[in-house]
Amino acid sequence: TVVNYTERYLLALMDWVKANYAVNVNRVYLNGGSMGGTGSISFGLRHPEIFAAIYAQVPLVSPKLRESGFTTQLSQIWGSVAVNLPSSDGGGVWDRMNMTAYVASHVEDLPFLKIQNSRNDFTLTWQQIPQFYRELNNARHGFVAAWGQGGHVQSSQGLPSEFLGFDVYNKITRNSSYVAISNSSANDDPGNGDVFDGDP
């Protein structure tokens, strides 16, 4: 069984910080890039009682979707995708990390998500991202997403200033509402996961 020690540690750390510092519990946020973006989404979306919003850059949202070097690294920790070892939280560990399925099956309010990706990301590949965007939209979760051609390290390159300037830390709190528009006519099409399909 793969025990989720890191999440348990982080929850204990959050409790300690709240007990020892004057924390505004309606303004707690997560931010991370690459592996940190992956962890921010996996941890943060599961804890809407803690987090107001998440800003994730180039995260992995479905590690088993496509075998890659990153999947191979994770298999050294979790075992193979085919075996799908049990998680201490229930189900297989690889299924637990499928955040596309998670957002589709959880219609309750989740933390607001600002997410950026790159179609030319060959580290945490683009193929896994478009369906994640669609499931967020279909389940009416609050999010804003942008993608470009910048690669894994330069994922902000060429992104609209309106997206880059969208400050979740000042705009979003747990105790206030916000307007969300699904299926906006302003939405670009992320395509089917092929880097040549959809809008750039």
Side-chain angles (χ1 to χ4, degrees):
T1 299
V2 179
V3 180
N4 201 349
Y5 295 114
T6 302
E7 186 162 332
R8 293 178 186 181
Y9 168 78
L10 290 170
L11 290 170
L13 182 62
M14 298 290 297
D15 288 341
W16 182 88
V17 169
K18 287 185 215 175
N20 289 279
Y21 292 91
V23 175
N24 181 341
V25 296
N26 291 308
R27 300 181 74 91
V28 179
Y29 306 92
L30 275 170
N31 179 317
S34 192
M35 178 73 83
T38 303
S40 293
I41 286 178
S42 174
F43 180 49
L45 291 181
R46 287 187 166 85
H47 292 285
E49 77 283 4
I50 299 175
F51 299 107
I54 302 162
Y55 181 16
Q57 301 96 38
V58 291
L60 189 66
V61 297
S62 185
K64 72 176 188 175
L65 182 66
R66 180 171 183 250
E67 291 287 344
S68 66
F70 196 75
T71 307
T72 303
Q73 288 178 320
L74 291 175
S75 68
Q76 295 172 11
I77 304 168
W78 298 338
S80 71
V81 171
V83 173
N84 202 16
L85 289 171
S87 163
S88 59
D89 298 330
V93 66
W94 288 94
D95 293 331
R96 185 187 190 281
M97 290 303 295
N98 184 344
M99 297 312 293
T100 301
Y102 185 87
V103 298
S105 63
H106 286 76
V107 296
E108 70 274 16
D109 287 342
L110 300 179
F112 187 93
L113 177 62
K114 178 179 178 180
I115 179 173
Q116 70 189 56
N117 298 96
S118 171
R119 294 163 70 91
N120 292 319
D121 187 340
F122 300 110
T123 304
L124 304 182
T125 56
W126 171 250
Q127 287 85 346
Q128 43 134 7
I129 295 298
Q131 192 59 35
F132 181 65
Y133 291 171
R134 288 192 180 89
E135 296 302 343
L136 285 166
N137 183 71
N138 293 340
R140 298 174 182 251
H141 293 303
F143 79 105
V144 58
W147 63 92
Q149 310 293 333
H152 188 71
V153 177
Q154 302 87 14
S155 65
S156 295
Q157 181 182 325
L159 295 186
S161 59
E162 295 87 351
F163 173 84
L164 293 173
F166 188 89
D167 184 0
V168 294
Y169 313 116
N170 287 307
K171 291 181 180 290
I172 308 293
T173 65
R174 286 190 63 247
N175 62 344
S176 61
S177 299
Y178 53 82
V179 175
I181 302 170
S182 297
N183 304 313
S184 168
S185 60
N187 288 355
D188 283 349
D189 176 14
N192 61 13
D194 184 303
V195 295
F196 299 109
D197 187 64
D199 295 320

